[in-house]
mmCIF file of all heavy atoms in Angstrom:
data_model
loop_
_atom_site.group_PDB
_atom_site.id
_atom_site.type_symbol
_atom_site.label_atom_id
_atom_site.label_comp_id
_atom_site.label_asym_id
_atom_site.label_seq_id
_atom_site.Cartn_x
_atom_site.Cartn_y
_atom_site.Cartn_z
ATOM 1 N N ALA A 212 4.960 -23.597 -12.232
ATOM 2 C CA ALA A 212 3.624 -24.033 -12.648
ATOM 3 C C ALA A 212 3.511 -24.027 -14.169
ATOM 4 O O ALA A 212 4.016 -23.125 -14.843
ATOM 5 C CB ALA A 212 2.556 -23.124 -12.037
ATOM 6 N N GLU A 213 2.836 -25.049 -14.682
ATOM 7 C CA GLU A 213 2.605 -25.155 -16.116
ATOM 8 C C GLU A 213 1.197 -24.724 -16.508
ATOM 9 O O GLU A 213 0.943 -24.426 -17.675
ATOM 10 C CB GLU A 213 2.839 -26.599 -16.568
ATOM 11 C CG GLU A 213 4.260 -27.089 -16.280
ATOM 12 C CD GLU A 213 4.414 -28.582 -16.531
ATOM 13 O OE1 GLU A 213 3.427 -29.200 -16.964
ATOM 14 O OE2 GLU A 213 5.507 -29.119 -16.276
ATOM 15 N N ALA A 214 0.277 -24.688 -15.548
ATOM 16 C CA ALA A 214 -1.095 -24.251 -15.790
ATOM 17 C C ALA A 214 -1.657 -23.762 -14.458
ATOM 18 O O ALA A 214 -1.445 -24.379 -13.416
ATOM 19 C CB ALA A 214 -1.959 -25.373 -16.352
ATOM 20 N N VAL A 215 -2.391 -22.621 -14.489
ATOM 21 C CA VAL A 215 -2.931 -22.007 -13.279
ATOM 22 C C VAL A 215 -4.372 -21.603 -13.551
ATOM 23 O O VAL A 215 -4.711 -21.136 -14.651
ATOM 24 C CB VAL A 215 -2.104 -20.779 -12.839
ATOM 25 C CG1 VAL A 215 -2.703 -20.142 -11.584
ATOM 26 C CG2 VAL A 215 -0.652 -21.158 -12.600
ATOM 27 N N ALA A 216 -5.231 -21.792 -12.549
ATOM 28 C CA ALA A 216 -6.628 -21.374 -12.641
ATOM 29 C C ALA A 216 -7.057 -20.809 -11.297
ATOM 30 O O ALA A 216 -6.581 -21.233 -10.243
ATOM 31 C CB ALA A 216 -7.540 -22.528 -13.040
ATOM 32 N N ILE A 217 -7.967 -19.830 -11.326
ATOM 33 C CA ILE A 217 -8.536 -19.222 -10.120
ATOM 34 C C ILE A 217 -10.034 -19.478 -10.123
ATOM 35 O O ILE A 217 -10.742 -18.992 -11.011
ATOM 36 C CB ILE A 217 -8.244 -17.716 -10.054
ATOM 37 C CG1 ILE A 217 -6.739 -17.459 -10.039
ATOM 38 C CG2 ILE A 217 -8.900 -17.094 -8.826
ATOM 39 C CD1 ILE A 217 -6.374 -15.988 -10.027
ATOM 40 N N ASN A 218 -10.477 -20.271 -9.158
ATOM 41 C CA ASN A 218 -11.903 -20.634 -9.075
ATOM 42 C C ASN A 218 -12.433 -21.169 -10.405
ATOM 43 O O ASN A 218 -13.534 -20.840 -10.845
ATOM 44 C CB ASN A 218 -12.740 -19.448 -8.611
ATOM 45 C CG ASN A 218 -12.618 -19.207 -7.119
ATOM 46 O OD1 ASN A 218 -11.678 -19.667 -6.487
ATOM 47 N ND2 ASN A 218 -13.561 -18.491 -6.549
ATOM 48 N N GLY A 219 -11.607 -21.973 -11.061
ATOM 49 C CA GLY A 219 -12.027 -22.574 -12.313
ATOM 50 C C GLY A 219 -11.804 -21.722 -13.539
ATOM 51 O O GLY A 219 -12.088 -22.170 -14.656
ATOM 52 N N GLN A 220 -11.285 -20.489 -13.381
ATOM 53 C CA GLN A 220 -11.007 -19.622 -14.514
ATOM 54 C C GLN A 220 -9.534 -19.777 -14.895
ATOM 55 O O GLN A 220 -8.641 -19.391 -14.150
ATOM 56 C CB GLN A 220 -11.311 -18.162 -14.159
ATOM 57 C CG GLN A 220 -12.751 -17.899 -13.791
ATOM 58 C CD GLN A 220 -13.687 -18.125 -14.952
ATOM 59 O OE1 GLN A 220 -13.402 -17.758 -16.096
ATOM 60 N NE2 GLN A 220 -14.813 -18.741 -14.677
ATOM 61 N N ARG A 221 -9.289 -20.357 -16.055
ATOM 62 C CA ARG A 221 -7.931 -20.629 -16.500
ATOM 63 C C ARG A 221 -7.216 -19.329 -16.863
ATOM 64 O O ARG A 221 -7.791 -18.434 -17.510
ATOM 65 C CB ARG A 221 -7.986 -21.570 -17.718
ATOM 66 C CG ARG A 221 -6.620 -21.990 -18.243
ATOM 67 C CD ARG A 221 -5.972 -23.041 -17.371
ATOM 68 N NE ARG A 221 -4.742 -23.527 -17.974
ATOM 69 C CZ ARG A 221 -4.715 -24.502 -18.888
ATOM 70 N NH1 ARG A 221 -5.831 -25.108 -19.268
ATOM 71 N NH2 ARG A 221 -3.557 -24.898 -19.399
ATOM 72 N N LEU A 222 -5.959 -19.235 -16.452
ATOM 73 C CA LEU A 222 -5.151 -18.060 -16.743
ATOM 74 C C LEU A 222 -4.294 -18.299 -17.974
ATOM 75 O O LEU A 222 -3.747 -19.389 -18.167
ATOM 76 C CB LEU A 222 -4.248 -17.714 -15.556
ATOM 77 C CG LEU A 222 -4.936 -17.412 -14.228
ATOM 78 C CD1 LEU A 222 -3.899 -16.987 -13.192
ATOM 79 C CD2 LEU A 222 -5.997 -16.342 -14.381
ATOM 80 N N THR A 223 -4.180 -17.283 -18.794
ATOM 81 C CA THR A 223 -3.334 -17.324 -19.985
ATOM 82 C C THR A 223 -2.396 -16.121 -19.944
ATOM 83 O O THR A 223 -2.372 -15.353 -18.979
ATOM 84 C CB THR A 223 -4.176 -17.292 -21.266
ATOM 85 O OG1 THR A 223 -4.860 -16.032 -21.352
ATOM 86 C CG2 THR A 223 -5.205 -18.414 -21.277
ATOM 87 N N ALA A 224 -1.644 -15.953 -21.020
ATOM 88 C CA ALA A 224 -0.701 -14.827 -21.078
ATOM 89 C C ALA A 224 -1.421 -13.491 -21.146
ATOM 90 O O ALA A 224 -0.823 -12.452 -20.834
ATOM 91 C CB ALA A 224 0.217 -14.989 -22.283
ATOM 92 N N THR A 225 -2.683 -13.467 -21.542
ATOM 93 C CA THR A 225 -3.430 -12.212 -21.652
ATOM 94 C C THR A 225 -4.500 -12.075 -20.578
ATOM 95 O O THR A 225 -5.346 -11.191 -20.667
ATOM 96 C CB THR A 225 -4.099 -12.127 -23.039
ATOM 97 O OG1 THR A 225 -4.984 -13.255 -23.208
ATOM 98 C CG2 THR A 225 -3.066 -12.129 -24.144
ATOM 99 N N SER A 226 -4.488 -12.929 -19.567
ATOM 100 C CA SER A 226 -5.514 -12.872 -18.525
ATOM 101 C C SER A 226 -5.320 -11.635 -17.652
ATOM 102 O O SER A 226 -4.205 -11.145 -17.467
ATOM 103 C CB SER A 226 -5.473 -14.121 -17.648
ATOM 104 O OG SER A 226 -5.824 -15.269 -18.387
ATOM 105 N N THR A 227 -6.424 -11.154 -17.106
ATOM 106 C CA THR A 227 -6.402 -9.998 -16.213
ATOM 107 C C THR A 227 -7.042 -10.381 -14.888
ATOM 108 O O THR A 227 -8.017 -11.131 -14.852
ATOM 109 C CB THR A 227 -7.165 -8.809 -16.810
ATOM 110 O OG1 THR A 227 -8.523 -9.204 -17.077
ATOM 111 C CG2 THR A 227 -6.518 -8.338 -18.093
ATOM 112 N N ILE A 228 -6.461 -9.881 -13.806
ATOM 113 C CA ILE A 228 -7.036 -10.022 -12.466
ATOM 114 C C ILE A 228 -7.198 -8.609 -11.949
ATOM 115 O O ILE A 228 -6.238 -7.946 -11.584
ATOM 116 C CB ILE A 228 -6.123 -10.846 -11.536
ATOM 117 C CG1 ILE A 228 -5.829 -12.213 -12.147
ATOM 118 C CG2 ILE A 228 -6.759 -11.014 -10.168
ATOM 119 C CD1 ILE A 228 -4.815 -13.032 -11.349
ATOM 120 N N ARG A 229 -8.428 -8.135 -11.921
ATOM 121 C CA ARG A 229 -8.693 -6.750 -11.595
ATOM 122 C C ARG A 229 -9.793 -6.671 -10.544
ATOM 123 O O ARG A 229 -10.402 -7.690 -10.174
ATOM 124 C CB ARG A 229 -9.127 -5.971 -12.840
ATOM 125 C CG ARG A 229 -8.166 -6.060 -13.999
ATOM 126 C CD ARG A 229 -6.867 -5.372 -13.726
ATOM 127 N NE ARG A 229 -7.005 -3.923 -13.675
ATOM 128 C CZ ARG A 229 -6.033 -3.102 -13.295
ATOM 129 N NH1 ARG A 229 -4.869 -3.608 -12.930
ATOM 130 N NH2 ARG A 229 -6.222 -1.805 -13.284
ATOM 131 N N SER A 230 -10.077 -5.463 -10.103
ATOM 132 C CA SER A 230 -11.169 -5.231 -9.156
ATOM 133 C C SER A 230 -12.142 -4.235 -9.754
ATOM 134 O O SER A 230 -11.748 -3.327 -10.502
ATOM 135 C CB SER A 230 -10.626 -4.706 -7.821
ATOM 136 O OG SER A 230 -10.041 -3.432 -7.990
ATOM 137 N N ALA A 231 -13.412 -4.417 -9.427
ATOM 138 C CA ALA A 231 -14.469 -3.483 -9.818
ATOM 139 C C ALA A 231 -15.311 -3.234 -8.578
ATOM 140 O O ALA A 231 -16.169 -4.037 -8.227
ATOM 141 C CB ALA A 231 -15.324 -4.056 -10.954
ATOM 142 N N GLY A 232 -15.034 -2.149 -7.893
ATOM 143 C CA GLY A 232 -15.675 -1.927 -6.607
ATOM 144 C C GLY A 232 -15.131 -2.913 -5.586
ATOM 145 O O GLY A 232 -13.933 -2.991 -5.344
ATOM 146 N N GLU A 233 -16.017 -3.695 -4.999
ATOM 147 C CA GLU A 233 -15.601 -4.720 -4.047
ATOM 148 C C GLU A 233 -15.497 -6.098 -4.699
ATOM 149 O O GLU A 233 -15.176 -7.068 -4.011
ATOM 150 C CB GLU A 233 -16.589 -4.778 -2.877
ATOM 151 C CG GLU A 233 -16.619 -3.507 -2.041
ATOM 152 C CD GLU A 233 -17.508 -3.649 -0.832
ATOM 153 O OE1 GLU A 233 -18.155 -4.715 -0.701
ATOM 154 O OE2 GLU A 233 -17.568 -2.709 -0.023
ATOM 155 N N ALA A 234 -15.778 -6.192 -5.988
ATOM 156 C CA ALA A 234 -15.728 -7.480 -6.685
ATOM 157 C C ALA A 234 -14.349 -7.666 -7.316
ATOM 158 O O ALA A 234 -13.674 -6.700 -7.695
ATOM 159 C CB ALA A 234 -16.806 -7.549 -7.758
ATOM 160 N N ILE A 235 -13.930 -8.925 -7.424
ATOM 161 C CA ILE A 235 -12.684 -9.297 -8.095
ATOM 162 C C ILE A 235 -13.049 -10.005 -9.394
ATOM 163 O O ILE A 235 -13.872 -10.930 -9.391
ATOM 164 C CB ILE A 235 -11.813 -10.189 -7.200
ATOM 165 C CG1 ILE A 235 -11.394 -9.434 -5.935
ATOM 166 C CG2 ILE A 235 -10.574 -10.663 -7.949
ATOM 167 C CD1 ILE A 235 -10.549 -10.259 -4.990
ATOM 168 N N LEU A 236 -12.461 -9.554 -10.479
ATOM 169 C CA LEU A 236 -12.746 -10.093 -11.802
ATOM 170 C C LEU A 236 -11.514 -10.792 -12.345
ATOM 171 O O LEU A 236 -10.406 -10.249 -12.300
ATOM 172 C CB LEU A 236 -13.172 -8.982 -12.771
ATOM 173 C CG LEU A 236 -14.314 -8.061 -12.319
ATOM 174 C CD1 LEU A 236 -14.589 -7.022 -13.385
ATOM 175 C CD2 LEU A 236 -15.567 -8.869 -12.027
ATOM 176 N N VAL A 237 -11.716 -12.005 -12.839
ATOM 177 C CA VAL A 237 -10.676 -12.757 -13.536
ATOM 178 C C VAL A 237 -11.139 -12.909 -14.974
ATOM 179 O O VAL A 237 -12.128 -13.595 -15.247
ATOM 180 C CB VAL A 237 -10.432 -14.133 -12.889
ATOM 181 C CG1 VAL A 237 -9.392 -14.911 -13.676
ATOM 182 C CG2 VAL A 237 -9.980 -13.972 -11.446
ATOM 183 N N ASP A 238 -10.429 -12.243 -15.865
ATOM 184 C CA ASP A 238 -10.870 -12.189 -17.266
ATOM 185 C C ASP A 238 -12.314 -11.699 -17.365
ATOM 186 O O ASP A 238 -13.148 -12.258 -18.101
ATOM 187 C CB ASP A 238 -10.702 -13.548 -17.943
ATOM 188 C CG ASP A 238 -9.278 -13.795 -18.395
ATOM 189 O OD1 ASP A 238 -8.532 -12.815 -18.529
ATOM 190 O OD2 ASP A 238 -8.908 -14.964 -18.589
ATOM 191 N N TYR A 239 -12.622 -10.657 -16.580
ATOM 192 C CA TYR A 239 -13.927 -9.977 -16.586
ATOM 193 C C TYR A 239 -15.068 -10.860 -16.091
ATOM 194 O O TYR A 239 -16.233 -10.532 -16.302
ATOM 195 C CB TYR A 239 -14.254 -9.435 -17.985
ATOM 196 C CG TYR A 239 -13.192 -8.517 -18.519
ATOM 197 C CD1 TYR A 239 -12.286 -8.959 -19.471
ATOM 198 C CD2 TYR A 239 -13.071 -7.219 -18.050
ATOM 199 C CE1 TYR A 239 -11.284 -8.118 -19.949
ATOM 200 C CE2 TYR A 239 -12.079 -6.374 -18.522
ATOM 201 C CZ TYR A 239 -11.194 -6.833 -19.466
ATOM 202 O OH TYR A 239 -10.218 -6.004 -19.922
ATOM 203 N N ARG A 240 -14.752 -11.945 -15.408
ATOM 204 C CA ARG A 240 -15.774 -12.776 -14.783
ATOM 205 C C ARG A 240 -15.567 -12.726 -13.278
ATOM 206 O O ARG A 240 -14.446 -12.911 -12.786
ATOM 207 C CB ARG A 240 -15.715 -14.224 -15.286
ATOM 208 C CG ARG A 240 -16.002 -14.367 -16.766
ATOM 209 C CD ARG A 240 -16.420 -15.778 -17.115
ATOM 210 N NE ARG A 240 -17.671 -16.137 -16.472
ATOM 211 C CZ ARG A 240 -18.288 -17.313 -16.630
ATOM 212 N NH1 ARG A 240 -17.753 -18.237 -17.407
ATOM 213 N NH2 ARG A 240 -19.426 -17.564 -16.028
ATOM 214 N N PRO A 241 -16.626 -12.461 -12.497
ATOM 215 C CA PRO A 241 -16.456 -12.296 -11.048
ATOM 216 C C PRO A 241 -16.142 -13.615 -10.356
ATOM 217 O O PRO A 241 -16.660 -14.674 -10.722
ATOM 218 C CB PRO A 241 -17.821 -11.741 -10.602
ATOM 219 C CG PRO A 241 -18.784 -12.226 -11.640
ATOM 220 C CD PRO A 241 -18.027 -12.273 -12.933
ATOM 221 N N VAL A 242 -15.280 -13.539 -9.350
ATOM 222 C CA VAL A 242 -14.974 -14.662 -8.473
ATOM 223 C C VAL A 242 -15.186 -14.182 -7.045
ATOM 224 O O VAL A 242 -14.992 -13.015 -6.733
ATOM 225 C CB VAL A 242 -13.540 -15.176 -8.671
ATOM 226 C CG1 VAL A 242 -13.371 -15.810 -10.036
ATOM 227 C CG2 VAL A 242 -12.528 -14.050 -8.493
ATOM 228 N N THR A 243 -15.609 -15.091 -6.178
ATOM 229 C CA THR A 243 -15.936 -14.733 -4.808
ATOM 230 C C THR A 243 -15.159 -15.616 -3.841
ATOM 231 O O THR A 243 -14.644 -16.677 -4.210
ATOM 232 C CB THR A 243 -17.446 -14.882 -4.548
ATOM 233 O OG1 THR A 243 -17.850 -16.233 -4.840
ATOM 234 C CG2 THR A 243 -18.245 -13.929 -5.422
ATOM 235 N N SER A 244 -15.102 -15.154 -2.603
ATOM 236 C CA SER A 244 -14.420 -15.906 -1.539
ATOM 237 C C SER A 244 -15.226 -17.146 -1.181
ATOM 238 O O SER A 244 -16.470 -17.105 -1.181
ATOM 239 C CB SER A 244 -14.274 -15.010 -0.308
ATOM 240 O OG SER A 244 -13.653 -15.675 0.751
ATOM 241 N N PRO A 245 -14.565 -18.266 -0.880
ATOM 242 C CA PRO A 245 -13.113 -18.485 -0.838
ATOM 243 C C PRO A 245 -12.532 -18.641 -2.241
ATOM 244 O O PRO A 245 -13.191 -19.129 -3.151
ATOM 245 C CB PRO A 245 -12.988 -19.775 -0.037
ATOM 246 C CG PRO A 245 -14.261 -20.514 -0.312
ATOM 247 C CD PRO A 245 -15.321 -19.466 -0.441
ATOM 248 N N TYR A 246 -11.284 -18.223 -2.376
ATOM 249 C CA TYR A 246 -10.595 -18.267 -3.650
ATOM 250 C C TYR A 246 -9.618 -19.445 -3.645
ATOM 251 O O TYR A 246 -8.843 -19.606 -2.702
ATOM 252 C CB TYR A 246 -9.823 -16.964 -3.890
ATOM 253 C CG TYR A 246 -10.679 -15.729 -3.760
ATOM 254 C CD1 TYR A 246 -10.749 -15.047 -2.548
ATOM 255 C CD2 TYR A 246 -11.413 -15.242 -4.827
ATOM 256 C CE1 TYR A 246 -11.529 -13.911 -2.406
ATOM 257 C CE2 TYR A 246 -12.200 -14.103 -4.703
ATOM 258 C CZ TYR A 246 -12.252 -13.450 -3.487
ATOM 259 O OH TYR A 246 -13.028 -12.321 -3.350
#
Side-chain angles (χ1 to χ4, degrees):
E213 300 171 2
V215 179
I217 300 178
N218 283 19
Q220 299 295 319
R221 183 76 174 275
L222 301 184
T223 65
T225 59
S226 294
T227 58
I228 304 174
R229 305 292 290 172
S230 65
E233 295 185 356
I235 297 179
L236 308 179
V237 177
D238 279 340
Y239 304 103
R240 297 200 64 178
V242 293
T243 57
S244 179
Y246 306 94

